[in-house]
Amino acid sequence: MPLTLNHIARQGGHGAAMMPIIQGVGRAAIEIAALLRGAVFRGALGEAGAKNVQGEQQQKLDILSDAIFLEEMRATGHICAVGSEEQEALLVISEYEDADYLVLVDPLDGSSNLDVDGPVGTIFSVVKRKSANDNTPVVDDTLQSGREVIAAGYVLYGPATMLVCSVGDGVDGYTYNPTTARFELSHGNMKIPATGGYYSVNEANADKWLDGMGDRLQNMKKETGLGMRYVGAMVADMHRTLLKGGVFLYPADSKNTNGKLRLLYEAIPMGFLMEQAGGKSLSKDQHVLDVQPESLHQRVPVYFGSKEAINALLPDA
Ligand code: AHG
Ligand code: MN
Ligand code: MN
């Protein structure tokens, strides 16, 4: 019989505490997947007409997914606050502001794929509050390096809906089974292949890259002979990198001098998973998990992949 998300309760030191939270992510994923499938019939595609704190045009589905995710985190009863890509400030969950955990979330990743029916995802990480439980949680509770992460994962809304997560005891992939209406373990103990795979980067930015990344990428391509794949949704590109090997990178460039991807709810959760799966996660000259966050929406350049590909790209890292 297949293992379900309940299996998480038996994993690592934090599985029991994380299981109800990841079950909540699973419920949000099922609702968001249904929302995406029917969006065109509800006039839910397209822009919402507002910009988020990132200065990016919000899609209607960004806002709807954010609301679904927040409600499912509230309903777990274990989350005191949520830091979301779509919300400038930390969202305190007033009924449970004495709870132990906070969640950082990118509710809908890869939004530019929505109106072309491309893959998109949700990315999350869980940290334990630093403030006393009888205080109101504050942004500082979220500003913890990846070494403090208790659990992290992503949902990939593709031909199937997958939930890939870790509580620090390896990485497991669960696929939503519409017959049993639950997530069932389909990819146990995921490890990134040591060789092969693809390099994955938006090469249109190559002439603007900083830190000599253009030459470094050319050298890596020569040394490894990797093919290229780029979906434009971090979750999809990272999922393929985890399964097939290679490297995903979003370097700093003259337009985005700190890179484009956000540290707290894109780089750290993905870096946590990549390292749990035996890969490497770098940002500039340090491990992603060692970067000390200074603000909720700060951006960092990222290089994720197999040790072989990362060493070919950043030999002195
Ligand atoms: P989001 O939709 O949450 O803003 O994330 C988009 C990100 C990430 O998913 C992807 O890797 C990257 O933007 C793609 O950026 P480019 O379109 O500049 O290549
Ligand atoms: Mn994103
Ligand atoms: Mn997003």
Side-chain angles (χ1 to χ4, degrees), residues 25 34 52 74 87 128 133 178 200 203 205 226 239 281 316:
V25 173
N52 60 14
R74 188 197 62 77
Q87 305 283 344
K128 196 168 172 61
N133 290 64
S200 185
E203 277 189 288
N205 298 329
L226 292 181
H239 187 65
S281 315
D316 36 11

Side-chain angles (χ1 to χ4, degrees), residues 239-258:
H239 187 65
R240 183 204 51 254
T241 304
L242 267 179
L243 286 174
K244 301 294 183 189
V247 59
F248 169 80
L249 57 153
Y250 207 107
D253 62 40
S254 50
K255 198 177 50 173
N256 294 305
T257 53
N258 287 316

Side-chain angles (χ1 to χ4, degrees), residues 145-228:
S145 82
R147 302 293 177 199
E148 309 298 324
V149 162
I150 308 275
Y154 58 80
V155 180
L156 175 58
Y157 306 99
T161 298
M162 276 199 75
L163 194 162
V164 176
C165 61
S166 174
V167 294
D169 189 19
V171 178
D172 285 328
Y174 296 81
T175 300
Y176 181 68
N177 182 341
T179 308
T180 55
R182 67 187 184 187
F183 282 93
E184 296 175 359
L185 185 72
S186 54
H187 297 66
N189 194 22
M190 293 170 74
K191 292 292 177 197
I192 185 169
T195 58
Y198 300 93
Y199 74 92
S200 185
V201 65
N202 183 342
E203 277 189 288
N205 298 329
D207 57 342
K208 296 192 288 292
W209 286 338
L210 307 180
D211 312 319
M213 199 41 67
D215 295 340
R216 289 175 178 279
L217 186 73
Q218 293 316 316
N219 295 338
M220 185 221 71
K221 287 159 72 170
K222 256 191 233 108
E223 191 176 320
T224 60
L226 292 181
M228 197 281 262

